[in-house]
Short mmCIF file of all heavy atoms in Angstrom, two decimals:
data_model
loop_
_atom_site.label_atom_id
_atom_site.label_comp_id
_atom_site.label_asym_id
_atom_site.label_seq_id
_atom_site.Cartn_x
_atom_site.Cartn_y
_atom_site.Cartn_z
N LYS K 96 18.60 21.59 13.82
CA LYS K 96 17.81 21.87 12.57
C LYS K 96 16.31 21.54 12.77
O LYS K 96 15.43 22.24 12.37
CB LYS K 96 18.37 21.13 11.40
CG LYS K 96 19.72 21.72 10.99
CD LYS K 96 20.31 20.86 9.77
CE LYS K 96 21.66 21.36 9.38
NZ LYS K 96 22.18 20.47 8.28
N GLY K 97 16.05 20.35 13.37
CA GLY K 97 14.65 20.00 13.57
C GLY K 97 13.94 20.85 14.48
O GLY K 97 12.77 21.23 14.30
N LEU K 98 14.65 21.33 15.60
CA LEU K 98 13.97 22.27 16.54
C LEU K 98 13.65 23.57 15.85
O LEU K 98 12.65 24.16 16.05
CB LEU K 98 14.85 22.42 17.77
CG LEU K 98 14.87 21.27 18.74
CD1 LEU K 98 15.90 21.53 19.81
CD2 LEU K 98 13.54 21.01 19.40
N ALA K 99 14.56 24.02 14.96
CA ALA K 99 14.31 25.27 14.23
C ALA K 99 13.08 25.14 13.38
O ALA K 99 12.23 26.00 13.24
CB ALA K 99 15.60 25.59 13.42
N MET K 100 12.89 24.02 12.69
CA MET K 100 11.81 23.80 11.79
C MET K 100 10.58 23.70 12.65
O MET K 100 9.48 24.23 12.27
CB MET K 100 11.97 22.55 11.00
CG MET K 100 13.10 22.66 9.85
SD MET K 100 12.62 23.89 8.60
CE MET K 100 13.75 25.15 8.96
N ALA K 101 10.60 23.02 13.75
CA ALA K 101 9.43 22.82 14.66
C ALA K 101 9.01 24.22 15.11
O ALA K 101 7.80 24.52 15.12
CB ALA K 101 9.65 21.90 15.88
N GLU K 102 9.91 25.07 15.47
CA GLU K 102 9.61 26.43 15.92
C GLU K 102 9.03 27.24 14.77
O GLU K 102 8.06 28.05 15.08
CB GLU K 102 10.77 27.15 16.48
CG GLU K 102 11.30 26.59 17.80
CD GLU K 102 10.30 26.66 18.95
OE1 GLU K 102 9.38 27.49 18.89
OE2 GLU K 102 10.40 25.86 19.87
N LYS K 103 9.42 27.07 13.64
CA LYS K 103 8.84 27.81 12.46
C LYS K 103 7.38 27.28 12.27
O LYS K 103 6.52 28.19 12.04
CB LYS K 103 9.57 27.48 11.11
CG LYS K 103 10.75 28.34 10.93
CD LYS K 103 11.37 28.17 9.53
CE LYS K 103 12.22 29.33 9.23
NZ LYS K 103 12.48 29.56 7.84
N ALA K 104 7.10 26.00 12.38
CA ALA K 104 5.75 25.48 12.23
C ALA K 104 4.85 26.14 13.41
O ALA K 104 3.66 26.53 13.16
CB ALA K 104 5.68 23.98 12.37
N LEU K 105 5.45 26.15 14.58
CA LEU K 105 4.66 26.67 15.75
C LEU K 105 4.50 28.14 15.67
O LEU K 105 3.62 28.69 16.25
CB LEU K 105 5.34 26.25 17.07
CG LEU K 105 5.24 24.74 17.31
CD1 LEU K 105 6.22 24.39 18.54
CD2 LEU K 105 3.85 24.27 17.64
N ALA K 106 5.35 28.81 15.00
CA ALA K 106 5.26 30.30 14.78
C ALA K 106 3.98 30.52 13.92
O ALA K 106 3.23 31.59 14.19
CB ALA K 106 6.42 30.97 14.12
N TRP K 107 3.69 29.67 12.97
CA TRP K 107 2.48 29.84 12.15
C TRP K 107 1.30 29.24 12.77
O TRP K 107 0.13 29.78 12.64
CB TRP K 107 2.70 29.09 10.75
CG TRP K 107 3.61 29.78 9.84
CD1 TRP K 107 4.91 29.46 9.59
CD2 TRP K 107 3.33 30.89 9.04
NE1 TRP K 107 5.45 30.39 8.72
CE2 TRP K 107 4.47 31.27 8.34
CE3 TRP K 107 2.15 31.71 8.95
CZ2 TRP K 107 4.52 32.39 7.54
CZ3 TRP K 107 2.25 32.81 8.06
CH2 TRP K 107 3.39 33.15 7.39
N ASN K 108 1.41 28.23 13.60
CA ASN K 108 0.36 27.63 14.34
C ASN K 108 0.81 27.11 15.69
O ASN K 108 1.29 26.06 15.82
CB ASN K 108 -0.27 26.48 13.47
CG ASN K 108 -1.45 25.84 14.12
OD1 ASN K 108 -1.86 26.19 15.31
ND2 ASN K 108 -2.06 24.87 13.51
N PRO K 109 0.69 27.91 16.73
CA PRO K 109 1.15 27.52 18.04
C PRO K 109 0.32 26.39 18.63
O PRO K 109 0.82 25.78 19.71
CB PRO K 109 1.05 28.73 18.92
CG PRO K 109 0.14 29.73 18.08
CD PRO K 109 0.16 29.30 16.69
N HIS K 110 -0.75 25.96 18.08
CA HIS K 110 -1.52 24.89 18.61
C HIS K 110 -1.34 23.59 17.84
O HIS K 110 -2.10 22.62 18.00
CB HIS K 110 -2.98 25.28 18.60
CG HIS K 110 -3.18 26.51 19.44
ND1 HIS K 110 -3.23 26.52 20.85
CD2 HIS K 110 -3.50 27.74 19.12
CE1 HIS K 110 -3.43 27.73 21.28
NE2 HIS K 110 -3.55 28.54 20.29
N MET K 111 -0.38 23.48 16.90
CA MET K 111 -0.24 22.36 16.02
C MET K 111 0.39 21.16 16.88
O MET K 111 1.59 21.12 17.19
CB MET K 111 0.75 22.73 14.90
CG MET K 111 0.87 21.68 13.85
SD MET K 111 1.90 22.37 12.51
CE MET K 111 1.41 21.17 11.20
N ALA K 112 -0.44 20.26 17.17
CA ALA K 112 -0.03 19.13 18.03
C ALA K 112 1.06 18.30 17.46
O ALA K 112 2.08 17.86 18.13
CB ALA K 112 -1.29 18.17 18.28
N THR K 113 1.07 18.10 16.12
CA THR K 113 2.12 17.30 15.47
C THR K 113 3.51 18.00 15.61
O THR K 113 4.53 17.43 15.86
CB THR K 113 1.81 16.97 14.02
OG1 THR K 113 1.53 18.20 13.37
CG2 THR K 113 0.73 16.00 13.99
N ALA K 114 3.55 19.33 15.45
CA ALA K 114 4.76 20.07 15.61
C ALA K 114 5.25 20.06 17.05
O ALA K 114 6.42 19.98 17.35
CB ALA K 114 4.56 21.54 15.10
N LEU K 115 4.30 20.18 18.01
CA LEU K 115 4.59 20.12 19.48
C LEU K 115 5.21 18.76 19.76
O LEU K 115 6.21 18.62 20.57
CB LEU K 115 3.43 20.39 20.27
CG LEU K 115 2.94 21.87 20.28
CD1 LEU K 115 1.54 22.00 20.86
CD2 LEU K 115 3.97 22.66 21.12
N ALA K 116 4.67 17.66 19.23
CA ALA K 116 5.09 16.34 19.45
C ALA K 116 6.53 16.13 18.89
O ALA K 116 7.40 15.55 19.57
CB ALA K 116 4.20 15.32 18.92
N VAL K 117 6.73 16.62 17.74
CA VAL K 117 8.13 16.51 17.08
C VAL K 117 9.12 17.24 17.92
O VAL K 117 10.24 16.77 18.15
CB VAL K 117 8.15 16.97 15.58
CG1 VAL K 117 9.50 17.04 15.05
CG2 VAL K 117 7.26 16.02 14.80
N LYS K 118 8.74 18.45 18.29
CA LYS K 118 9.61 19.25 19.24
C LYS K 118 9.96 18.46 20.43
O LYS K 118 11.09 18.39 20.87
CB LYS K 118 8.88 20.61 19.56
CG LYS K 118 9.75 21.45 20.47
CD LYS K 118 9.01 22.80 20.79
CE LYS K 118 9.77 23.60 21.78
NZ LYS K 118 9.12 24.90 22.04
N GLY K 119 8.94 17.89 21.11
CA GLY K 119 9.20 17.12 22.28
C GLY K 119 10.03 15.93 22.00
O GLY K 119 10.99 15.59 22.78
N ALA K 120 9.91 15.22 20.89
CA ALA K 120 10.75 14.11 20.50
C ALA K 120 12.17 14.52 20.36
O ALA K 120 13.13 13.84 20.75
CB ALA K 120 10.15 13.36 19.26
N LEU K 121 12.39 15.65 19.69
CA LEU K 121 13.73 16.16 19.49
C LEU K 121 14.40 16.58 20.78
O LEU K 121 15.60 16.26 20.96
CB LEU K 121 13.68 17.35 18.49
CG LEU K 121 13.44 16.93 17.07
CD1 LEU K 121 12.96 18.16 16.21
CD2 LEU K 121 14.73 16.36 16.41
N LEU K 122 13.66 17.17 21.65
CA LEU K 122 14.18 17.55 22.92
C LEU K 122 14.49 16.35 23.77
O LEU K 122 15.49 16.29 24.52
CB LEU K 122 13.22 18.46 23.68
CG LEU K 122 13.13 19.93 23.10
CD1 LEU K 122 11.96 20.53 23.69
CD2 LEU K 122 14.38 20.68 23.40
N LEU K 123 13.69 15.29 23.62
CA LEU K 123 13.99 14.08 24.31
C LEU K 123 15.19 13.43 23.86
O LEU K 123 16.10 12.92 24.59
CB LEU K 123 12.77 13.05 24.21
CG LEU K 123 12.68 11.97 25.15
CD1 LEU K 123 12.82 12.26 26.60
CD2 LEU K 123 11.36 11.19 24.86
N LEU K 124 15.42 13.42 22.52
CA LEU K 124 16.77 12.97 21.91
C LEU K 124 17.89 13.77 22.48
O LEU K 124 18.98 13.23 22.80
CB LEU K 124 16.71 13.10 20.42
CG LEU K 124 16.12 11.90 19.62
CD1 LEU K 124 15.95 12.34 18.16
CD2 LEU K 124 17.11 10.73 19.69
N ASP K 125 17.69 15.06 22.59
CA ASP K 125 18.76 15.95 23.11
C ASP K 125 19.05 15.58 24.53
O ASP K 125 20.20 15.50 24.94
CB ASP K 125 18.27 17.41 22.97
CG ASP K 125 19.40 18.38 23.17
OD1 ASP K 125 20.57 18.07 22.90
OD2 ASP K 125 19.12 19.43 23.59
N ALA K 126 18.06 15.27 25.35
CA ALA K 126 18.23 14.89 26.77
C ALA K 126 18.87 13.54 26.83
O ALA K 126 19.88 13.36 27.66
CB ALA K 126 16.87 14.79 27.45
N ARG K 127 18.61 12.54 25.95
CA ARG K 127 19.26 11.35 25.98
C ARG K 127 20.76 11.40 25.54
O ARG K 127 21.61 10.65 26.12
CB ARG K 127 18.65 10.32 24.92
CG ARG K 127 17.39 9.73 25.40
CD ARG K 127 17.02 8.68 24.36
NE ARG K 127 15.54 8.78 24.16
CZ ARG K 127 14.96 8.72 22.97
NH1 ARG K 127 15.67 8.69 21.89
NH2 ARG K 127 13.69 8.85 22.90
N THR K 128 21.08 12.31 24.67
CA THR K 128 22.49 12.46 24.15
C THR K 128 23.34 13.46 24.86
O THR K 128 24.49 13.49 24.53
CB THR K 128 22.43 12.65 22.63
OG1 THR K 128 21.74 13.88 22.41
CG2 THR K 128 21.81 11.59 21.94
N ALA K 129 22.78 14.16 25.79
CA ALA K 129 23.58 15.24 26.43
C ALA K 129 24.56 14.66 27.33
O ALA K 129 24.27 13.65 28.02
CB ALA K 129 22.59 16.15 27.20
N ARG K 130 25.71 15.30 27.39
CA ARG K 130 26.75 14.83 28.16
C ARG K 130 26.71 15.52 29.55
O ARG K 130 27.21 14.93 30.57
CB ARG K 130 28.09 15.09 27.50
CG ARG K 130 28.30 14.39 26.25
CD ARG K 130 29.67 14.36 25.80
NE ARG K 130 29.97 13.91 24.43
CZ ARG K 130 29.88 12.60 24.11
NH1 ARG K 130 29.62 11.69 24.99
NH2 ARG K 130 30.10 12.33 22.77
N ASP K 131 26.14 16.65 29.62
CA ASP K 131 26.02 17.41 30.90
C ASP K 131 24.73 17.14 31.57
O ASP K 131 23.64 17.21 30.90
CB ASP K 131 26.15 18.93 30.48
CG ASP K 131 25.97 19.77 31.77
OD1 ASP K 131 26.77 19.65 32.63
OD2 ASP K 131 24.98 20.58 31.72
N LEU K 132 24.77 16.76 32.78
CA LEU K 132 23.44 16.42 33.54
C LEU K 132 22.51 17.58 33.54
O LEU K 132 21.29 17.38 33.37
CB LEU K 132 23.87 15.97 34.97
CG LEU K 132 22.72 15.56 35.85
CD1 LEU K 132 22.08 14.32 35.23
CD2 LEU K 132 23.24 15.17 37.22
N ASP K 133 22.93 18.80 33.81
CA ASP K 133 22.03 19.98 33.85
C ASP K 133 21.34 20.21 32.53
O ASP K 133 20.13 20.41 32.39
CB ASP K 133 22.76 21.24 34.28
CG ASP K 133 23.14 21.21 35.75
OD1 ASP K 133 22.52 20.43 36.55
OD2 ASP K 133 24.12 21.87 36.14
N ALA K 134 22.11 19.99 31.35
CA ALA K 134 21.57 20.21 30.09
C ALA K 134 20.61 19.06 29.79
O ALA K 134 19.47 19.34 29.14
CB ALA K 134 22.65 20.18 28.96
N ALA K 135 20.93 17.89 30.20
CA ALA K 135 19.91 16.74 30.03
C ALA K 135 18.61 16.97 30.80
O ALA K 135 17.57 16.68 30.24
CB ALA K 135 20.61 15.45 30.41
N GLN K 136 18.70 17.46 31.95
CA GLN K 136 17.57 17.66 32.81
C GLN K 136 16.70 18.80 32.16
O GLN K 136 15.47 18.64 31.99
CB GLN K 136 17.95 18.06 34.23
CG GLN K 136 16.78 18.23 35.11
CD GLN K 136 17.22 18.53 36.56
OE1 GLN K 136 18.31 18.88 36.84
NE2 GLN K 136 16.30 18.28 37.45
N ALA K 137 17.32 19.84 31.73
CA ALA K 137 16.59 21.03 31.08
C ALA K 137 15.87 20.46 29.79
O ALA K 137 14.74 20.80 29.56
CB ALA K 137 17.55 22.14 30.74
N ALA K 138 16.57 19.72 29.03
CA ALA K 138 15.98 19.27 27.81
C ALA K 138 14.86 18.22 28.05
O ALA K 138 13.85 18.37 27.38
CB ALA K 138 17.04 18.49 26.94
N ALA K 139 14.98 17.42 29.00
CA ALA K 139 13.94 16.49 29.42
C ALA K 139 12.69 17.28 29.92
O ALA K 139 11.56 16.86 29.60
CB ALA K 139 14.38 15.49 30.54
N ARG K 140 12.89 18.30 30.70
CA ARG K 140 11.73 19.07 31.18
C ARG K 140 11.06 19.78 29.99
O ARG K 140 9.84 19.75 29.96
CB ARG K 140 12.29 20.16 32.12
CG ARG K 140 11.69 20.06 33.51
CD ARG K 140 12.06 21.19 34.37
NE ARG K 140 12.90 20.78 35.45
CZ ARG K 140 14.12 21.11 35.67
NH1 ARG K 140 14.70 21.93 34.91
NH2 ARG K 140 14.75 20.55 36.66
N ARG K 141 11.88 20.36 29.09
CA ARG K 141 11.28 21.05 27.91
C ARG K 141 10.55 20.03 27.04
O ARG K 141 9.50 20.29 26.49
CB ARG K 141 12.36 21.79 27.11
CG ARG K 141 12.86 22.98 27.91
CD ARG K 141 13.97 23.70 27.20
NE ARG K 141 13.61 24.08 25.87
CZ ARG K 141 14.41 24.12 24.80
NH1 ARG K 141 15.71 23.71 25.02
NH2 ARG K 141 14.01 24.45 23.60
N ALA K 142 11.12 18.81 26.95
CA ALA K 142 10.40 17.74 26.14
C ALA K 142 9.14 17.44 26.76
O ALA K 142 8.03 17.33 26.11
CB ALA K 142 11.36 16.50 26.08
N ARG K 143 9.08 17.24 28.04
CA ARG K 143 7.77 16.95 28.74
C ARG K 143 6.74 17.99 28.59
O ARG K 143 5.55 17.79 28.33
CB ARG K 143 7.99 16.65 30.25
CG ARG K 143 6.79 16.20 30.99
CD ARG K 143 7.07 15.84 32.37
NE ARG K 143 7.43 17.21 33.10
CZ ARG K 143 7.71 17.17 34.39
NH1 ARG K 143 7.67 16.12 35.16
NH2 ARG K 143 8.08 18.36 34.93
N GLU K 144 7.20 19.27 28.66
CA GLU K 144 6.33 20.43 28.42
C GLU K 144 5.74 20.40 26.97
O GLU K 144 4.51 20.59 26.74
CB GLU K 144 7.02 21.69 28.62
CG GLU K 144 7.40 21.99 30.09
CD GLU K 144 8.33 23.09 30.32
OE1 GLU K 144 8.61 23.84 29.31
OE2 GLU K 144 8.80 23.24 31.43
N ALA K 145 6.60 20.20 25.98
CA ALA K 145 6.17 20.16 24.59
C ALA K 145 5.17 19.00 24.35
O ALA K 145 4.15 19.15 23.70
CB ALA K 145 7.35 20.08 23.64
N LEU K 146 5.49 17.88 24.86
CA LEU K 146 4.69 16.58 24.70
C LEU K 146 3.41 16.72 25.42
O LEU K 146 2.31 16.37 24.98
CB LEU K 146 5.37 15.35 25.12
CG LEU K 146 6.62 14.98 24.32
CD1 LEU K 146 7.53 14.02 24.87
CD2 LEU K 146 6.15 14.48 22.88
N SER K 147 3.39 17.38 26.54
CA SER K 147 2.12 17.61 27.30
C SER K 147 1.22 18.62 26.45
O SER K 147 0.02 18.45 26.44
CB SER K 147 2.40 18.19 28.72
OG SER K 147 3.06 17.18 29.52
#
Side-chain angles (χ1 to χ4, degrees):
K96 288 177 183 177
L98 287 171
M100 290 294 110
E102 290 300 336
K103 277 190 164 200
L105 292 168
W107 286 104
N108 180 358
H110 302 285
M111 188 177 197
T113 52
L115 289 163
V117 170
K118 178 181 177 179
L121 286 159
L122 288 166
L123 196 53
L124 270 169
D125 196 28
R127 279 189 225 134
T128 58
R130 298 195 191 283
D131 177 63
L132 184 61
D133 290 336
Q136 185 176 18
R140 242 190 245 112
R141 290 177 55 216
R143 186 178 63 179
E144 290 167 8
L146 291 164
S147 294

